[in-house]
Amino acid sequence: HIVSERRREDLEKLRIEQESTIRLVRQISTTIELEPLLAILGKELMKLKLFDGYMIALADTNEMNLVCEAISLPDEYYGIERTYLKFAYPLNCGDVMTMSYSSGESIFYGNENIDEYADTTRHLFKAWKLKSIVAIPLKHLDTKLGSLVVFSQSKRLESSCLEPVISLIPLFLEQIKNAIFYSRLKAEEKEINNASELNQKFLQFVSDVNNLSSIDLIYQLFSEEFLRR
């Protein structure tokens, strides 16, 4: 009887976990914007209650830098989170996240030898009063996407802490890749629209100049256009 009861409990726990995963996958698959997608990933990370915060940095278009796209800091540092958003870490800076991105391996850093670390990594340890940092590469098939950094202020993170994270990340990778592609398409579309708008304004300006006969009026129009720019 005890064995069968335990079996029922295990099956019920498994059912709940599977339903939760299905809901999460559905939420991921319907989120194409990068910012809310990374917010979902961050929320799931913090639900594990293993870390005090995280940073997600993704490769820029030229794959020369990792750019901070999402971050969560302990409550005492909440006010400065936005100062780190969009900060670019050059791939050759030797930072823990860029090294993980380049090597494709997870990297564990403790606070015992912080003087040996790159300036940016050393800054994180000191500014956020950290005990340990783990950087995990984000990669979909053969495409390097970026790096996830999780950290703790109170304990040294071991490989066992990563097991639920390693299970979680693959659910997001393909959609992160899609969201990056989508955000770049939107940026290109905006540039094209801006260029088209500028071109239309220039053509209108040329047309206005051609319709003027007075030198003074032409000079006035050029002055107004110069001030507008």
PDB file of all heavy atoms in Angstrom, residues 1-17:
ATOM      1  N   HIS A   1       0.827  -1.212   0.000  1.00  0.00           N
ATOM      2  CA  HIS A   1       0.000   0.000   0.000  1.00  0.00           C
ATOM      3  C   HIS A   1       0.866   1.270   0.000  1.00  0.00           C
ATOM      4  O   HIS A   1       0.591   2.227  -0.729  1.00  0.00           O
ATOM      5  CB  HIS A   1      -0.924  -0.010   1.207  1.00  0.00           C
ATOM      6  CG  HIS A   1      -1.756   1.236   1.341  1.00  0.00           C
ATOM      7  ND1 HIS A   1      -2.839   1.510   0.498  1.00  0.00           N
ATOM      8  CD2 HIS A   1      -1.676   2.285   2.200  1.00  0.00           C
ATOM      9  CE1 HIS A   1      -3.364   2.666   0.839  1.00  0.00           C
ATOM     10  NE2 HIS A   1      -2.689   3.146   1.885  1.00  0.00           N
ATOM     11  N   ILE A   2       1.904   1.276   0.845  1.00  0.00           N
ATOM     12  CA  ILE A   2       2.795   2.429   0.922  1.00  0.00           C
ATOM     13  C   ILE A   2       3.484   2.665  -0.417  1.00  0.00           C
ATOM     14  O   ILE A   2       3.602   3.792  -0.892  1.00  0.00           O
ATOM     15  CB  ILE A   2       3.843   2.219   2.036  1.00  0.00           C
ATOM     16  CG1 ILE A   2       3.153   2.176   3.397  1.00  0.00           C
ATOM     17  CG2 ILE A   2       4.878   3.335   1.996  1.00  0.00           C
ATOM     18  CD1 ILE A   2       4.084   1.874   4.551  1.00  0.00           C
ATOM     19  N   VAL A   3       3.913   1.569  -1.053  1.00  0.00           N
ATOM     20  CA  VAL A   3       4.590   1.669  -2.344  1.00  0.00           C
ATOM     21  C   VAL A   3       3.652   2.231  -3.406  1.00  0.00           C
ATOM     22  O   VAL A   3       4.017   3.112  -4.191  1.00  0.00           O
ATOM     23  CB  VAL A   3       5.132   0.295  -2.783  1.00  0.00           C
ATOM     24  CG1 VAL A   3       5.699   0.383  -4.201  1.00  0.00           C
ATOM     25  CG2 VAL A   3       6.195  -0.186  -1.803  1.00  0.00           C
ATOM     26  N   SER A   4       2.412   1.740  -3.452  1.00  0.00           N
ATOM     27  CA  SER A   4       1.448   2.206  -4.448  1.00  0.00           C
ATOM     28  C   SER A   4       1.082   3.666  -4.223  1.00  0.00           C
ATOM     29  O   SER A   4       0.877   4.428  -5.174  1.00  0.00           O
ATOM     30  CB  SER A   4       0.193   1.332  -4.420  1.00  0.00           C
ATOM     31  OG  SER A   4      -0.435   1.405  -3.158  1.00  0.00           O
ATOM     32  N   GLU A   5       1.000   4.085  -2.961  1.00  0.00           N
ATOM     33  CA  GLU A   5       0.703   5.481  -2.654  1.00  0.00           C
ATOM     34  C   GLU A   5       1.835   6.385  -3.115  1.00  0.00           C
ATOM     35  O   GLU A   5       1.604   7.460  -3.695  1.00  0.00           O
ATOM     36  CB  GLU A   5       0.494   5.637  -1.144  1.00  0.00           C
ATOM     37  CG  GLU A   5       0.147   7.058  -0.707  1.00  0.00           C
ATOM     38  CD  GLU A   5      -1.174   7.524  -1.266  1.00  0.00           C
ATOM     39  OE1 GLU A   5      -2.055   6.665  -1.535  1.00  0.00           O
ATOM     40  OE2 GLU A   5      -1.334   8.755  -1.441  1.00  0.00           O
ATOM     41  N   ARG A   6       3.057   5.941  -2.873  1.00  0.00           N
ATOM     42  CA  ARG A   6       4.222   6.710  -3.318  1.00  0.00           C
ATOM     43  C   ARG A   6       4.266   6.788  -4.845  1.00  0.00           C
ATOM     44  O   ARG A   6       4.614   7.811  -5.419  1.00  0.00           O
ATOM     45  CB  ARG A   6       5.499   6.050  -2.784  1.00  0.00           C
ATOM     46  CG  ARG A   6       6.758   6.878  -3.030  1.00  0.00           C
ATOM     47  CD  ARG A   6       7.955   6.232  -2.370  1.00  0.00           C
ATOM     48  NE  ARG A   6       7.768   6.121  -0.926  1.00  0.00           N
ATOM     49  CZ  ARG A   6       8.342   5.172  -0.192  1.00  0.00           C
ATOM     50  NH1 ARG A   6       9.099   4.247  -0.754  1.00  0.00           N
ATOM     51  NH2 ARG A   6       8.159   5.141   1.113  1.00  0.00           N
ATOM     52  N   ARG A   7       3.878   5.687  -5.476  1.00  0.00           N
ATOM     53  CA  ARG A   7       3.825   5.641  -6.938  1.00  0.00           C
ATOM     54  C   ARG A   7       2.817   6.654  -7.473  1.00  0.00           C
ATOM     55  O   ARG A   7       3.100   7.367  -8.437  1.00  0.00           O
ATOM     56  CB  ARG A   7       3.436   4.231  -7.384  1.00  0.00           C
ATOM     57  CG  ARG A   7       3.114   4.071  -8.856  1.00  0.00           C
ATOM     58  CD  ARG A   7       4.337   3.949  -9.671  1.00  0.00           C
ATOM     59  NE  ARG A   7       4.037   3.606 -11.045  1.00  0.00           N
ATOM     60  CZ  ARG A   7       4.837   3.865 -12.054  1.00  0.00           C
ATOM     61  NH1 ARG A   7       5.998   4.458 -11.845  1.00  0.00           N
ATOM     62  NH2 ARG A   7       4.506   3.522 -13.281  1.00  0.00           N
ATOM     63  N   ARG A   8       1.641   6.739  -6.834  1.00  0.00           N
ATOM     64  CA  ARG A   8       0.632   7.705  -7.247  1.00  0.00           C
ATOM     65  C   ARG A   8       1.129   9.139  -7.069  1.00  0.00           C
ATOM     66  O   ARG A   8       0.905  10.002  -7.913  1.00  0.00           O
ATOM     67  CB  ARG A   8      -0.656   7.495  -6.450  1.00  0.00           C
ATOM     68  CG  ARG A   8      -1.540   6.368  -6.985  1.00  0.00           C
ATOM     69  CD  ARG A   8      -2.961   6.462  -6.427  1.00  0.00           C
ATOM     70  NE  ARG A   8      -2.977   6.298  -4.982  1.00  0.00           N
ATOM     71  CZ  ARG A   8      -3.090   5.104  -4.370  1.00  0.00           C
ATOM     72  NH1 ARG A   8      -3.170   3.993  -5.096  1.00  0.00           N
ATOM     73  NH2 ARG A   8      -3.118   5.024  -3.062  1.00  0.00           N
ATOM     74  N   GLU A   9       1.816   9.377  -5.978  1.00  0.00           N
ATOM     75  CA  GLU A   9       2.358  10.715  -5.730  1.00  0.00           C
ATOM     76  C   GLU A   9       3.392  11.086  -6.784  1.00  0.00           C
ATOM     77  O   GLU A   9       3.425  12.229  -7.269  1.00  0.00           O
ATOM     78  CB  GLU A   9       2.978  10.765  -4.332  1.00  0.00           C
ATOM     79  CG  GLU A   9       1.961  10.697  -3.209  1.00  0.00           C
ATOM     80  CD  GLU A   9       2.624  10.647  -1.845  1.00  0.00           C
ATOM     81  OE1 GLU A   9       3.880  10.615  -1.799  1.00  0.00           O
ATOM     82  OE2 GLU A   9       1.901  10.630  -0.820  1.00  0.00           O
ATOM     83  N   ASP A  10       4.244  10.115  -7.130  1.00  0.00           N
ATOM     84  CA  ASP A  10       5.263  10.365  -8.149  1.00  0.00           C
ATOM     85  C   ASP A  10       4.627  10.655  -9.504  1.00  0.00           C
ATOM     86  O   ASP A  10       5.070  11.544 -10.239  1.00  0.00           O
ATOM     87  CB  ASP A  10       6.208   9.163  -8.266  1.00  0.00           C
ATOM     88  CG  ASP A  10       7.106   9.002  -7.047  1.00  0.00           C
ATOM     89  OD1 ASP A  10       7.230   9.980  -6.289  1.00  0.00           O
ATOM     90  OD2 ASP A  10       7.661   7.905  -6.849  1.00  0.00           O
ATOM     91  N   LEU A  11       3.592   9.899  -9.841  1.00  0.00           N
ATOM     92  CA  LEU A  11       2.902  10.107 -11.118  1.00  0.00           C
ATOM     93  C   LEU A  11       2.197  11.469 -11.151  1.00  0.00           C
ATOM     94  O   LEU A  11       2.203  12.152 -12.182  1.00  0.00           O
ATOM     95  CB  LEU A  11       1.884   8.986 -11.359  1.00  0.00           C
ATOM     96  CG  LEU A  11       2.465   7.615 -11.706  1.00  0.00           C
ATOM     97  CD1 LEU A  11       1.354   6.559 -11.741  1.00  0.00           C
ATOM     98  CD2 LEU A  11       3.204   7.650 -13.027  1.00  0.00           C
ATOM     99  N   GLU A  12       1.616  11.853 -10.034  1.00  0.00           N
ATOM    100  CA  GLU A  12       0.949  13.149  -9.963  1.00  0.00           C
ATOM    101  C   GLU A  12       1.954  14.288 -10.094  1.00  0.00           C
ATOM    102  O   GLU A  12       1.706  15.292 -10.788  1.00  0.00           O
ATOM    103  CB  GLU A  12       0.191  13.273  -8.638  1.00  0.00           C
ATOM    104  CG  GLU A  12      -0.515  14.604  -8.423  1.00  0.00           C
ATOM    105  CD  GLU A  12      -1.607  14.874  -9.439  1.00  0.00           C
ATOM    106  OE1 GLU A  12      -2.015  13.925 -10.161  1.00  0.00           O
ATOM    107  OE2 GLU A  12      -2.064  16.030  -9.521  1.00  0.00           O
ATOM    108  N   LYS A  13       3.090  14.127  -9.439  1.00  0.00           N
ATOM    109  CA  LYS A  13       4.151  15.134  -9.543  1.00  0.00           C
ATOM    110  C   LYS A  13       4.638  15.241 -10.981  1.00  0.00           C
ATOM    111  O   LYS A  13       4.845  16.345 -11.499  1.00  0.00           O
ATOM    112  CB  LYS A  13       5.313  14.757  -8.614  1.00  0.00           C
ATOM    113  CG  LYS A  13       6.456  15.759  -8.629  1.00  0.00           C
ATOM    114  CD  LYS A  13       7.568  15.333  -7.691  1.00  0.00           C
ATOM    115  CE  LYS A  13       8.725  16.303  -7.737  1.00  0.00           C
ATOM    116  NZ  LYS A  13       9.846  15.869  -6.855  1.00  0.00           N
ATOM    117  N   LEU A  14       4.811  14.097 -11.639  1.00  0.00           N
ATOM    118  CA  LEU A  14       5.249  14.083 -13.033  1.00  0.00           C
ATOM    119  C   LEU A  14       4.221  14.760 -13.938  1.00  0.00           C
ATOM    120  O   LEU A  14       4.575  15.528 -14.831  1.00  0.00           O
ATOM    121  CB  LEU A  14       5.488  12.638 -13.486  1.00  0.00           C
ATOM    122  CG  LEU A  14       5.949  12.445 -14.943  1.00  0.00           C
ATOM    123  CD1 LEU A  14       7.276  13.155 -15.180  1.00  0.00           C
ATOM    124  CD2 LEU A  14       6.070  10.961 -15.256  1.00  0.00           C
ATOM    125  N   ARG A  15       2.939  14.486 -13.690  1.00  0.00           N
ATOM    126  CA  ARG A  15       1.875  15.094 -14.491  1.00  0.00           C
ATOM    127  C   ARG A  15       1.893  16.611 -14.362  1.00  0.00           C
ATOM    128  O   ARG A  15       1.786  17.338 -15.356  1.00  0.00           O
ATOM    129  CB  ARG A  15       0.516  14.556 -14.045  1.00  0.00           C
ATOM    130  CG  ARG A  15      -0.667  15.067 -14.876  1.00  0.00           C
ATOM    131  CD  ARG A  15      -2.000  14.640 -14.284  1.00  0.00           C
ATOM    132  NE  ARG A  15      -2.234  15.259 -12.996  1.00  0.00           N
ATOM    133  CZ  ARG A  15      -2.690  16.513 -12.854  1.00  0.00           C
ATOM    134  NH1 ARG A  15      -2.921  17.271 -13.918  1.00  0.00           N
ATOM    135  NH2 ARG A  15      -2.900  17.002 -11.647  1.00  0.00           N
ATOM    136  N   ILE A  16       2.057  17.100 -13.149  1.00  0.00           N
ATOM    137  CA  ILE A  16       2.092  18.543 -12.907  1.00  0.00           C
ATOM    138  C   ILE A  16       3.288  19.172 -13.613  1.00  0.00           C
ATOM    139  O   ILE A  16       3.179  20.237 -14.237  1.00  0.00           O
ATOM    140  CB  ILE A  16       2.130  18.835 -11.394  1.00  0.00           C
ATOM    141  CG1 ILE A  16       0.814  18.408 -10.748  1.00  0.00           C
ATOM    142  CG2 ILE A  16       2.402  20.304 -11.134  1.00  0.00           C
ATOM    143  CD1 ILE A  16       0.830  18.475  -9.230  1.00  0.00           C
ATOM    144  N   GLU A  17       4.440  18.510 -13.541  1.00  0.00           N
ATOM    145  CA  GLU A  17       5.645  19.024 -14.191  1.00  0.00           C
ATOM    146  C   GLU A  17       5.473  19.065 -15.709  1.00  0.00           C
ATOM    147  O   GLU A  17       5.882  20.036 -16.362  1.00  0.00           O
ATOM    148  CB  GLU A  17       6.853  18.151 -13.823  1.00  0.00           C
ATOM    149  CG  GLU A  17       7.300  18.299 -12.374  1.00  0.00           C
ATOM    150  CD  GLU A  17       8.432  17.344 -12.027  1.00  0.00           C
ATOM    151  OE1 GLU A  17       8.757  16.482 -12.876  1.00  0.00           O
ATOM    152  OE2 GLU A  17       8.981  17.464 -10.916  1.00  0.00           O
TER     153      GLU A  17
END
